[in-house]
Each structure stands twice: as C-alpha cells, then as structure tokens.
Amino acid sequence: MIIRRWLTSLVNRAVAFVILAIVLAALAVAVVSSLVGRSELAGQTREQVETIAELVASDLDARLAQRRDTLTHVAEGLTMEEVVLRSRSRLLIRREIALQHMFDGIYVFDAGGKVIAEYPQSFRQTGLDISGREYFRQTSSQLTSIISDPYVSNYRERPAVMMTAPIFDHRQRFIGVLGGAVFLDGDNFMEDTSGVRIGKTGYVSIATRSGVTLGHGRTGETMVPLRLENEAYKKAMAGFEGTVQTLDQEGTETITSVRQMSQVPWFVAAVWPVKEAYAPLSRLTDSFAQTLLIVILIVTPLALVVFRRLMAPMRNLGVQISERHLGIRTEPVDVLGGTEIRQVAETFNTVMEERDEVLSSLAEREAFFRSLTQSAPIGIIQTDVLGRIEFVNPAFERIIGVSSNDLQHTPLIEGVYEEDRAGTVEAWREALRSKMVFRGRFRLKSRKGIDLVWADVMTSVIETEERSLGTITVVRDITHELEIEAELAEEQKRADSILGVLQEGVLMVDAEGIIRYSNEAAYGFLGLADSGEQRNFFTLVSIEDENRRWEADDFLRSADVDSLYATLRNRTGQLFDIDLAMLHLRRKSHNHRMVFVIRDDSARRREEERLSWEATHDSLTGLLNRRAFNSSLVKCLMDTNKKTAASVLMLIDLDYFKPVNDEGGHLLGDDLLGRLSDLLTQSVRQSDTVARLGGDEFGIILPACGQQRAVELAEKIRAGIEALRIEQDGKTFGVTASIGLTEICDSDSGPREVVARADEGTYAAKARGRNCVVTMSLPLRQEPD
C-alpha cells in the first residue's frame, strides 16, 4: 500500500524508472559479461584439467614402462642354469641397486612359483608358493613381461602391483620369474601421482577399467571398488577418453578429464570442482553488485531533486485546469515549463475551444457510424431495449438472405433456430444483465426458414450513465469454416488409421521433448501400454550410436537425420537395434516439432554379423580362413622387432586324408576335420592364430614363442593327430601329419616368403616318410660388398 501511494507521483515514477533502467542496463551488461567470461573461463578450465590428466597419464605410463623394461633387461641378464639361479639369486638381486630404487620389493620365483630370493629380506616371503597368483600364471604361460592387475600382497595384506619378466637358461628354457612389487599405499611414484593437486580442492584419481581404485587424490583410498556415481568413471571403464562436466560421488558438480593409459588397462581422471574453477567469476559478480548498489544510492536522491524541479510547472497547470473547469477562470491556462507540459496546456486550451463543436457534431457522428457499417464485411445489428431490430447492415442481409425492411422491428431472438434458442436466450440475458459481452455460436434461420447458417455472435449493451439504449450485435458466418474443420478432422482420422497399421514407430515431440503424438507401433519401443502423450520422450528412452549418446539438445541442434543406426534402451531396460529418422517441423518457431520414425533394425544387423563371420572363417571347422590367416601373418611380421622371443609359423599337411574321404565318405572326412580343428585349438595359446588354409592343410602362427617351444608344441600336435581315430562300420580311420616350422624374422619380405619356407618343411617331412616335424632354418643374410 505504501509503495502504491508513493508511485502515484509522476516524479517518483520517473525516479523509479531511472533506477530500473540503470538496474536493467547493469544486469544486461553483467549477464553478457558473465556469459562471455564464463565461456572463456570454462575453456581455460577444461584445457587446464585436460593438460593435467594428459601429463599425469603420460608420466605414469613412462614410469611403468621404465620399470618393466628395466626388469626385463635384468631378467635377460640372468640367463644361467636353473641350479645356478637357485644358488645365486639372493646375491644377484642384492646387487641390482637400480631395481631396489624402482620397486618396493624384488622377488625371484622358480619355475614352480616358489619364492627363492627377495629384497628386502625383512618381508619374509622366501619359500612362499605363489603359483596360484594370476601374474605368475600369465608370465609362465605367455613367457612375456607383464604388469599385473592390483592385488592384496602377502606382506601385511598391503595392496600392490607386480611387474614380472620370465627368466630363461642358455637353451631358452623357462626356469623362473623375476618380479618387482610396487605398493599402492607406499612412499613411491604411485603416491606422488595420486597426490597431484588441482587448485585447492581438485585432485587426481587412478583406477583400472575393471573398476578398482588404485589411488584417490582426495580420500587417499586404494584397492577399493570404484564409486560409479561420477558418470565419467562409468564411461572411462568402457574406454572413454575426454572431458565432461558431471557430478562426483558427493553430488558436487565437477569438471572431469579422463585419459586412458597405454601400458596397462588403467585410466587417470583429473577432477576439479566447478565452484572453485569458476570462483574468479563469482568474485567479479560480487564486486559488480556492490558497485551497482553504490551507484543507485547516489543517483536516487539526485534524480528526485531534478525531477521535482522539472515537474513544478505541471502542478501549476493542474490548479489552473481545475479553476477553468469550475468556472473560476475564463481565460486559457498559461503555457509554461518544458515542451511536454506546454503541449499539454496547448492541448487543453484547444479541447476546451472545440468542446462545443464536438457536442454539435454528435448527430453527424451517428450518421457516420451508419455509413461505416454499410461497408463492413461482417453482419452488424442494432436493437432497442426490448431486443427489436432497428438497423442491420448489408452484410447481415447477405448472411441470412432477408432484406432489412423485412427485419425492421422484429425480435432478434426469433432469427435463432428453434433447437438452439432456449440455451441461447438464457445465456444472452445473463450476459446483458451482468453488463458483459455475450459470445455464442449457434444456427440462424435464413431465406424465411429454408436454410440454416452457423454464426459466431457477439452482443454488447449500448448505454449511457443515465440509461440503456439497446444492444449492438456482430455476426460472422462460420458455416464454411465448420465444413473445413470437419474435413480436416476426417483427414486427421484417416492419417491416424494409416499410422496405426505401420510397423515403424512414429512420434512427434515438441522442443521440450514432450510427446504430442505416437502411433501404436511406438508403444513397444517406449515400453508403455498406452501412447505416452504428455510424457518426456528423452526420459523414457536413451539412444546411443557407436560414437556417443544422443541427448535432446543434440537432436534440436542437428539437421534432419536421414538414417541413424543406433541402440535404443527404454525405461523397462529393453534394448532395440534401430534405424532412426528425424525431421524438424516449423524450426526456430514457438511451435517447433520433431518427428521421429523408429524401425527395428535387429534382423539386418544379425545378417551383417553373419556375413562378416563367414568372410573370415571356414564354415566347416569354424577356424580362420586363408584370407584372415594372411592378415594375421602380416601383422605378426610388422611386430617382429617388438617381440623378446622369435615368432614361429607352423604349417600342417595331413597324410593319407584322401583314403579317408574315398573309403569312409565325405561326411566322415568332415567329422575328422572338425575333431582335428578342436585338437589344434586346444593345443595352442589364446594369443596364437589357427586357420584352415584349404582342404587338409592348416596353419598356426605362434607369436613370441621361440623355436624350441614351437618344436615341442609341433611334436605334441603331431602325436595328437596320430592318436586320433574314428570308427565306422567296423573300420578304423585316421591320418598323420607332416609339419613344417620356420621362424618369422624382420628380413622376410612378406607373408609369401615365410609361408614358402614353412611349406618346404612340410615337403621335407613327406620326403622323410611323413608323420614328422621338420624345422627350416632362416636363409643366410648376404653381407654388403
């Protein structure tokens, strides 16, 4: 009430307007500055977090690689007899000062997994059997250096990571493992890495893709399950690498940058709370608000003084106008003050002079009104206080097809169709009693009752302060409009019927994601029993393709989507492989709509997967075919320099396979080939490649196997093939194998040269009487002149 009374003064209103203008201008500047500053600060913040994550991941990769390579180098220097290794292992590891600085614990394990030496000896692990540890099983089976997954060590159950390297004797026979342990909670490079700070509250976390925390810069946790409230962690476990703004496990909004490590399946996450990252912008906003408050406190009293002086002539003009109205003053009011006040005074003087002329022209105005209604495109009717027609314009005559002469002095209500009259009269009288405008839609009789016309009608009372003069009614013919509406409704019904039988899901959503229409086929995709209208489409489903998850803003900003192959998950957890199309309607308007067409794409994708498998596999045995085998061999040739042990190619040519087909039939031969494929697959490592090259010929690629181990494996396979027998109709059928072996070296020009050398071995084996293994030596390199 006090504010309303204060604002009755024009001076106070002007002051309020000035203050409001200042505030709005300041707010506009503040908002624009804040948006620009926030955008630039956001970019700088993301770059800073990304740089820290990249540096930490690169540094950690380098440290791990350095320790693994050093451990491998030391293991290669321990080439000796197994007996010597057992006797000298304690002395040897005490001499490895570099390893002692790099690892918290150094161990030597024999080939059976027993600890035969350790440093420091205070750990008391000597004699312990660790053959069940995963890192020992991997190292002894793969014969390569590894960095293990985190595990709980036997020493005080401290969490640790073990790096191992195999030890061979002079004959390249596996005799033990050299291992270096790094405690995750120790005073080492892992603690230094997780202790990196970003600002005051930002931190760095290290975790495995399997979901185990290796180091948490804020809580100090190690070897605990990764808390997945942070969406970035979930994505990182699937291989995501990038920067996102998300919530951490405490619900704090953060900027999180994830970098995957190359040496191990770990990732580094740099996390910086948004509140601290944007703190400079908040301080700038506070300073701006304080400055604005000071400006308002100074401008307000100054504006009051200035506006009161400017409005003084207006108060004098008000006194003179009041005197002129009461007859005390007969001369015109004084024209003083500013331009606006002088204009008001001049206008008042003019109005007073013209008042008499206006009164005398009322009759002319009435005539003007009647002439204006003559050309109006809508029907106009004037009635007296009893509702009898006094005037109608030509437009109303055309609507009902009756002349104005026939309508004179007839009650207006009689023109309403009898079935609509009762309800119309009651609403009409109630509106006129309450002095409100009557609005209605009903039928009028035309052409003396022959036809009916649908009309949109508005009626208002004509009255003065003393009495009521009658009513004025406006009539608009809407018969044609209703016919069009009926046709549109019929077309809508037909369209709904067509969409209802489609197998594709069709939905229309607005810019907020609210479903405005959906056909029956869309219910299944949404996981709903009904149409789901007025529900948010993007909360009912999630849509992901190979590159990203599509959010509502992605669809709003993108162009029309012709064919998006993606995966749709609805609110019930159902997954659909879909082909999605999206079309924008009335884009950049308040009535923006998006139409989605969703087609089940599962059958096509299954067919693609089947064709892809058939292109690389042998249909009878399920092994790789020659084309896939050659691709694997090319890759092995490229990686030759990276292997610590030689890679070997093995070609297997079956002996006496044709008699099996001729005597037992092709079905028996196919059964034998299938069993031989199972034998080969079960005999090799998971990293080895087994393929059927055609007919009765097979090939095996053994990366980093070493020639001696390859020969042992070939003899094992040869014996297994020889022992394989199939009985049919009282007869026993079997085959033997001629096997050729050759090392793969960096001097080989391509896969054809390696295969040809191994093929010579199979020919040599057949020449020696079949059922044997022949190793082909590498060709001598020619020295340059």
Side-chain angles (χ1 to χ4, degrees), residues 366-383:
E366 182 179 357
F368 173 75
F369 166 74
R370 290 182 177 272
S371 64
L372 182 63
T373 58
Q374 295 292 322
S375 59
I378 57 176
I380 300 175
I381 309 165
Q382 181 182 346
T383 67

Side-chain angles (χ1 to χ4, degrees), residues 701-733:
I701 301 173
L702 304 169
C705 177
Q707 183 169 328
Q708 181 178 351
R709 183 177 175 83
V711 171
E712 294 174 358
L713 177 62
E715 286 293 345
K716 177 183 175 183
I717 291 174
R718 183 201 60 76
I721 294 175
E722 182 180 13
L724 181 63
R725 289 291 182 268
I726 299 178
E727 291 188 3
Q728 178 176 289
D729 298 331
K731 292 183 178 181
T732 301
F733 296 89

Side-chain angles (χ1 to χ4, degrees), residues 56-318:
V56 171
S58 299
D59 180 67
L60 189 55
D61 266 330
R63 289 173 183 254
L64 291 173
Q66 179 189 16
R67 283 159 173 77
R68 182 197 59 199
D69 294 344
T70 303
L71 194 72
T72 302
H73 178 72
V74 173
E76 291 174 351
L78 297 179
T79 302
M80 58 188 68
E81 294 300 324
E82 184 174 3
V83 176
V84 178
L85 178 66
R86 289 179 178 274
S87 62
R88 299 187 60 193
S89 56
R90 293 185 181 180
L91 176 62
L92 291 173
I93 64 174
R94 280 201 301 271
R95 291 178 179 177
E96 296 297 335
I97 305 301
L99 291 183
Q100 295 172 14
H101 287 291
M102 289 183 177
F103 296 97
D104 295 316
I106 308 170
Y107 305 94
V108 178
F109 313 106
D110 62 13
K114 185 177 181 181
V115 180
I116 60 177
E118 64 175 322
Y119 181 88
Q121 295 183 2
S122 59
F123 287 177
R124 301 184 183 279
Q125 304 295 306
T126 303
L128 185 68
D129 184 4
I130 53 88
S131 59
R133 291 286 190 182
E134 181 64 24
Y135 61 78
F136 182 82
R137 291 202 300 267
Q138 289 183 358
T139 306
S140 60
S141 63
Q142 299 178 9
L143 300 180
T144 57
S145 300
I146 67 164
I147 301 174
S148 76
D149 290 334
Y151 68 96
V152 178
S153 68
N154 293 316
Y155 179 66
R156 298 181 180 177
E157 297 186 349
R158 295 178 65 181
V161 172
M162 179 68 75
M163 302 183 194
T164 60
I167 304 173
F168 303 94
D169 61 11
H170 294 290
R171 290 169 293 178
Q172 289 297 308
R173 187 176 61 184
F174 173 70
I175 61 173
V177 174
L178 177 63
V182 177
F183 292 129
L184 299 180
D185 59 353
D187 185 10
N188 51 40
F189 70 97
M190 289 295 292
E191 184 179 21
D192 295 342
T193 301
S194 60
V196 172
R197 309 302 296 177
I198 308 174
K200 295 182 179 179
T201 59
Y203 57 91
V204 171
S205 291
I206 308 169
T208 68
R209 291 187 194 172
S210 60
V212 178
T213 299
L214 301 178
H216 196 289
R218 184 177 59 80
T219 64
E221 296 176 327
T222 59
M223 202 63 184
V224 296
L226 189 63
R227 299 175 65 180
L228 299 180
E229 291 83 352
N230 191 325
E231 287 292 331
Y233 289 169
K234 294 181 181 178
K235 296 180 179 179
M237 291 173 64
F240 166 76
E241 189 174 57
T243 304
V244 295
Q245 187 164 326
T246 182
L247 300 179
D248 65 5
Q249 46 267 45
E250 279 74 30
T252 302
E253 188 174 8
T254 63
I255 299 172
T256 302
S257 182
V258 176
R259 287 295 179 272
Q260 300 290 339
M261 295 179 60
S262 60
Q263 299 296 327
V264 286
W266 302 354
F267 63 88
V268 173
V271 182
W272 198 2
V274 171
K275 183 177 181 181
E276 180 186 352
Y278 293 165
L281 189 61
S282 300
R283 290 193 294 270
L284 180 62
T285 302
D286 295 340
S287 300
F288 185 85
Q290 293 174 1
T291 303
L292 176 62
L293 180 60
I294 294 172
V295 170
I296 292 174
L297 293 177
I298 295 174
V299 170
T300 301
L302 182 62
L304 282 171
V305 173
V306 172
F307 281 120
R308 283 176 180 171
R309 293 188 62 183
L310 292 174
M311 294 299 292
M314 180 63 78
R315 290 193 293 272
N316 295 333
L317 178 61

Side-chain angles (χ1 to χ4, degrees), residues 55 149 259 263 271 318 320 329 341 391 395 400 490 514 681 683 764 769:
L55 290 175
D149 290 334
R259 287 295 179 272
Q263 299 296 327
V271 182
Q320 294 180 25
R329 184 185 182 94
I341 298 176
F391 167 79
I400 64 173
E490 184 65 26
I514 303 302
T681 303
S683 299

Side-chain angles (χ1 to χ4, degrees), residues 408-638:
Q408 287 290 332
H409 307 299
T410 62
L412 176 59
I413 198 65
E414 289 184 359
V416 179
Y417 183 51
E418 288 81 358
E419 294 183 6
D420 300 340
R421 188 176 299 173
T424 301
V425 170
E426 183 178 352
W428 200 336
R429 289 175 177 172
E430 180 60 31
L432 296 181
R433 265 197 307 270
S434 58
K435 296 183 180 180
M436 298 176 61
V437 176
F438 166 79
R439 290 179 173 84
R441 178 177 289 188
F442 45 80
R443 289 170 287 184
L444 299 177
K445 294 184 293 185
S446 67
R447 297 181 184 177
K448 298 183 179 179
I450 298 176
D451 297 326
L452 295 176
V453 176
W454 276 99
D456 193 358
V457 178
M458 294 177 58
T459 300
S460 179
V461 176
I462 305 173
E463 61 182 355
T464 64
E465 294 182 357
E466 294 81 13
R467 62 191 182 90
S468 177
L469 303 178
T471 65
I472 185 77
T473 300
V474 177
V475 179
R476 186 168 63 89
D477 186 355
I478 60 171
T479 305
H480 185 57
E481 294 180 12
L482 294 180
E483 292 174 354
I484 294 176
E485 288 180 3
E487 292 176 0
L488 291 175
E490 184 65 26
E491 290 297 328
Q492 179 67 39
K493 184 177 179 181
R494 187 178 298 110
D496 290 342
S497 299
I498 295 173
L499 292 174
V501 299
L502 289 178
Q503 294 182 351
E504 290 82 359
V506 180
L507 306 99
M508 182 170 67
V509 304
D510 60 19
E512 303 299 326
I514 303 302
I515 299 174
R516 299 297 185 179
Y517 171 80
S518 62
N519 68 346
E520 188 171 350
Y523 302 171
F525 291 108
L526 298 176
L528 299 174
D530 54 16
S531 66
E533 293 184 11
Q534 303 305 316
R535 301 181 68 173
N536 193 296
F537 172 64
F538 299 106
T539 61
L540 293 175
V541 300
S542 63
I543 299 173
E544 298 181 9
D545 63 5
E546 294 180 353
N547 301 318
R548 58 169 173 166
R549 174 173 176 171
W550 286 71
E551 305 292 349
D553 288 343
D554 296 327
F555 285 109
L556 285 170
R557 290 194 299 265
S558 71
D560 293 345
V561 177
D562 182 33
S563 186
L564 175 65
Y565 298 112
T567 300
L568 179 145
R569 182 189 296 273
N570 62 27
R571 67 189 191 102
T572 64
Q574 290 179 292
L575 284 174
F576 296 93
D577 292 327
I578 62 169
D579 180 1
L580 182 141
M582 187 273 293
L583 175 67
H584 289 282
L585 300 179
R586 298 182 292 277
R587 196 168 190 174
K588 296 182 179 179
S589 71
H590 71 282
N591 202 24
H592 182 192
R593 296 289 187 268
M594 292 180 288
V595 177
F596 290 88
V597 180
I598 304 172
R599 182 172 64 85
D600 192 335
D601 198 39
S602 303
R604 185 191 64 80
R605 297 193 190 184
R606 286 195 298 270
E607 181 64 15
E608 284 186 353
E609 292 174 357
R610 184 185 65 80
L611 293 176
S612 176
W613 188 91
E614 290 179 353
T616 57
H617 289 74
D618 176 56
S619 58
L620 174 61
T621 63
L623 301 178
L624 294 179
N625 59 20
R626 180 179 289 275
R627 178 180 178 184
F629 177 81
N630 287 337
S631 297
S632 299
L633 185 55
V634 170
K635 184 177 183 300
C636 188
L637 281 168
M638 295 173 63

Side-chain angles (χ1 to χ4, degrees), residues 319-352:
V319 173
Q320 294 180 25
I321 289 175
S322 178
E323 292 175 350
R324 182 73 185 271
H325 178 69
L326 296 174
I328 301 173
R329 184 185 182 94
T330 57
E331 66 274 10
V333 298
D334 298 333
V335 180
L336 300 172
T339 302
E340 292 80 4
I341 298 176
R342 290 199 303 271
Q343 186 176 0
V344 171
E346 291 173 355
T347 302
F348 177 76
N349 289 333
T350 302
V351 169
M352 293 300 293

